[in-house]
């Protein structure tokens, strides 16, 4: 696939990993279930594969495809987004300090607080919209800045190029990792903005059909940190099965088209809710009145497929609205082809800062008029005072 970087993402996505099977001519790559690979009489391995924890052809095809789409040189696939994130933090030297966002995916925060901090990682939670505060949080022991933008579930937008500039002032000591689960390629290009590592829950947009759990760490270049992440992957084996790798590869082929539909739907639904009597706030960085709009417009090609709203009438009304939809599905997660609605505080741990009246919406690829109409009837039924 050399020279393919100049192809458009739609074309690249379709042809990723379609290196026809030399043995059979099969257009679509097979699923390699074998855990072990046979040696030549001289003891060498003809294709470089030895044992599937260390390397598997289907997983290797997925890693190549993900790297190509992201503009990365290295990729390591994991069994979940959480396993991928954990590998990044655990690859840092003992006693490291990291800076993470205050508003972030609650699962990673739990991982940090309950597992990684007790093991010696030092963590500062900072509102990363404020680059001054972020800069002030950097110490001599800081090794990583972890960014999530737009953040989950408040859709805060962080200036990725600004974070990279702050990190570079530390003379190579501080790396930047972006959890890009909410901004898969082509919605954003964090490596183009200078970040070192990109993490995805492939569970979400990349596989795209709510039927695979997976994660990946992608690196702008080979580095000591990435080598340790690779070692954690190989030695611990928190890897996706060949079937899950294959499903994710299949999902990737339609990624650019799904994303376009999802961003269009998010914009349409957000616009329909602005000024609605039953809605007190619409958090979507594609709206010009969103505080993160100017930065989002600069660093994202589209404003994404996620939005949060706050409902007049508080938590009870929010739960009622989620209960009154007919087309939207009431479920957590995101990025699938079906639209989801979720009372977010209800799924996060006790004490989370998420407003109790907040509903998080993940846009699918249905027609936006059907989504807007269903949400409108749910909002009119609930006790929102509207
Ligand atoms: C879902 C998600 C994760 C974790 O992914 P899993 O596959 O569920 O472990 C990490 N970050 C973000 C932003 C997510 O939405």
């Amino acid at each position: 696939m050399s020279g393919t970087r100049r192809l458009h993402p739609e074309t690249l996505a379709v042809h990723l990993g379609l290196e026809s099977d030399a043995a059979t001519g099969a257009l679509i790559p097979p699923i390699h279930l074998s855990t072990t690979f046979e040696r030549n009489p001289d003891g060498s391995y003809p294709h470089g594969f030895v044992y599937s924890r260390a390397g598997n052809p289907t997983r290797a095809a997925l890693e190549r495809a993900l790297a190509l789409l992201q503009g990365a040189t290295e990729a390591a696939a994991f069994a979940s987004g959480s396993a991928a994130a954990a590998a990044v933090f655990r690859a840092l030297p003992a006693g490291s300090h990291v800076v993470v966002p205050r508003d972030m995916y609650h699962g990673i925060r739990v991982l940090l607080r309950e597992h990684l901090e007790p093991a010696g990682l030092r963590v500062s939670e900072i509102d990363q919209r404020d680059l001054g505060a972020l800069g002030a949080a950097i110490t001599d022991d800081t090794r990583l800045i972890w960014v999530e933008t737009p953040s989950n579930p408040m859709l805060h937008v962080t200036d990725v190029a600004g974070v990279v500039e702050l990190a570079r002032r530390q003379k190579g000591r501080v790396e930047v990792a972006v959890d890009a689960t909410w901004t898969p390629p082509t919605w954003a290009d964090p490596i183009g903005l200078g970040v070192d590592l990109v993490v995805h829950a492939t569970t979400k947009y990349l596989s795209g059909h709510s039927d695979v759990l997976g994660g990946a760490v992608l690196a702008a270049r080979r580095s000591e940190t990435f080598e340790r992440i690779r070692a954690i992957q190989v030695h611990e084996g928190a890897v996706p099965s060949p079937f899950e790798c294959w499903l994710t590869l299949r999902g990737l082929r339609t990624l650019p088209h799904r994303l376009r539909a999802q961003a269009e739907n998010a914009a349409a639904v957000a616009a329909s809710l602005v000024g609605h009597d039953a809605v007190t706030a619409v958090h979507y960085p594609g709206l010009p009145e969103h505080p993160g709009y100017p930065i989002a417009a600069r660093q994202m090609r589209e404003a994404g497929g996620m939005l949060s709203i706050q409902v007049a009438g508080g938590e009870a009304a929010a739960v009622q609205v989620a209960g009154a939809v007919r087309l939207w599905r009431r479920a957590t997660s995101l990025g699938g082809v079906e639209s989801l609605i979720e009372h977010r505080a209800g799924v996060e741990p006790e004490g989370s800062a998420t407003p109790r009246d907040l509903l998080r919406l993940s846009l699918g690829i249905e027609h936006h008029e059907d989504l807007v109409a269903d949400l409108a009837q749910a909002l009119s039924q609930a006790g929102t005072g509207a």
Side-chain angles (χ1 to χ4, degrees), residues 80-83 105 108 148 152 179 181-182 201 203-204 213-214 334:
S80 70
S82 302
Y105 172 64
I108 308 278
E148 185 184 312
N152 181 357
D179 178 344
T181 299
W182 285 30
T203 313
K204 315 290 173 55
L213 198 67
L334 59 121

Side-chain angles (χ1 to χ4, degrees), residues 205-243:
Y205 288 104
L206 292 172
S207 62
H209 295 75
S210 306
D211 54 10
V212 191
L213 198 67
V217 182
L218 308 172
R221 73 200 76 78
R222 185 163 293 181
S223 65
E224 267 180 52
T225 307
F226 186 79
E227 290 305 316
R228 285 195 290 272
I229 290 165
R230 173 72 79 199
I232 289 169
Q233 178 206 32
V234 164
H235 296 148
E236 297 187 0
V239 290
S241 73
F243 183 51

Side-chain angles (χ1 to χ4, degrees), residues 52-386:
S52 267
R53 173 160 46 72
N56 169 280
T58 315
R59 194 166 87 226
L62 173 63
E63 290 175 342
R64 272 198 307 279
L66 289 172
L68 215 52
L69 269 181
Q70 189 75 72
T73 65
E74 309 294 321
F78 286 87
S80 70
S82 302
V88 171
F89 290 113
R90 291 172 50 234
L92 303 173
S96 290
H97 172 251
V98 300
V99 184
V100 305
R102 188 163 289 158
D103 187 54
M104 73 187 298
Y105 172 64
H106 74 88
I108 308 278
R109 188 190 296 117
V110 168
L111 192 69
L112 289 163
R113 289 186 183 169
E114 294 187 15
H115 301 281
L116 296 162
E117 284 187 282
L121 189 73
R122 281 176 293 145
V123 181
S124 297
E125 293 179 12
I126 300 291
D127 183 343
Q128 298 185 348
R129 290 173 298 179
D130 179 353
L131 289 181
L134 178 60
I138 295 173
T139 71
D140 287 349
D141 296 325
T142 306
R143 292 291 172 274
L144 184 79
I145 303 171
W146 178 271
V147 177
E148 185 184 312
T149 181
S151 66
N152 181 357
M154 293 304 294
L155 285 295
H156 292 166
V157 175
T158 294
D159 178 355
V160 175
V163 175
V164 167
E165 199 186 302
L166 276 179
R168 287 204 175 140
R169 280 191 220 140
Q170 309 300 316
K171 303 184 173 39
R173 192 165 52 76
V174 179
E175 290 179 288
V176 178
V178 171
D179 178 344
T181 299
W182 285 30
T183 55
T186 56
W187 277 344
D189 178 17
I191 288 185
L193 294 175
V195 317
D196 304 287
L197 299 167
V198 178
V199 176
H200 287 287
T202 55
T203 313
K204 315 290 173 55
Y205 288 104
L206 292 172
S207 62
H209 295 75
S210 306
D211 54 10
V212 191
L213 198 67
V217 182
L218 308 172
R221 73 200 76 78
R222 185 163 293 181
S223 65
E224 267 180 52
T225 307
F226 186 79
E227 290 305 316
R228 285 195 290 272
I229 290 165
R230 173 72 79 199
I232 289 169
Q233 178 206 32
V234 164
H235 296 148
E236 297 187 0
V239 290
S241 73
F243 183 51
E244 290 163 319
C245 294
W246 187 90
L247 277 176
T248 305
L249 263 175
R250 187 168 74 159
L252 288 182
R253 301 196 197 290
T254 54
L255 177 70
H257 291 281
R258 286 188 280 108
L259 294 185
R260 188 178 307 125
Q262 287 168 307
E264 280 174 17
N265 283 348
V269 168
S272 81
L273 297 173
V274 172
H276 193 294
D277 288 343
V279 176
T280 57
V282 182
H283 305 287
Y284 183 61
L287 293 171
E289 57 267 40
H290 187 280
Y293 176 83
I295 297 168
R298 211 162 59 226
Q299 71 188 17
M300 295 177 72
R301 256 175 59 161
E302 293 177 286
M306 296 297 295
L307 63 122
S308 293
I309 61 172
Q310 290 178 256
V311 177
E315 176 167 15
V319 171
Q320 251 184 321
V321 171
V325 293
R326 301 191 189 118
L327 182 63
W328 294 72
R329 311 310 299 251
R330 277 179 298 281
T332 194
S333 198
L334 59 121
V337 293
E338 64 292 318
S339 292
L340 304 180
I341 187 166
E342 170 178 53
H343 177 244
R344 189 62 187 168
V347 80
E348 294 187 342
E350 203 63 30
S352 98
T354 296
R356 306 297 306 185
D357 59 0
L358 181 138
L359 293 173
R360 197 185 78 174
L361 311 181
S362 167
L363 274 296
I365 64 168
E366 303 94 332
H367 197 288
H368 64 83
E369 287 175 8
D370 299 328
L371 296 169
V372 167
D374 187 37
L375 206 51
Q377 70 76 23
L379 284 163
S380 71
Q381 278 188 41
T384 54

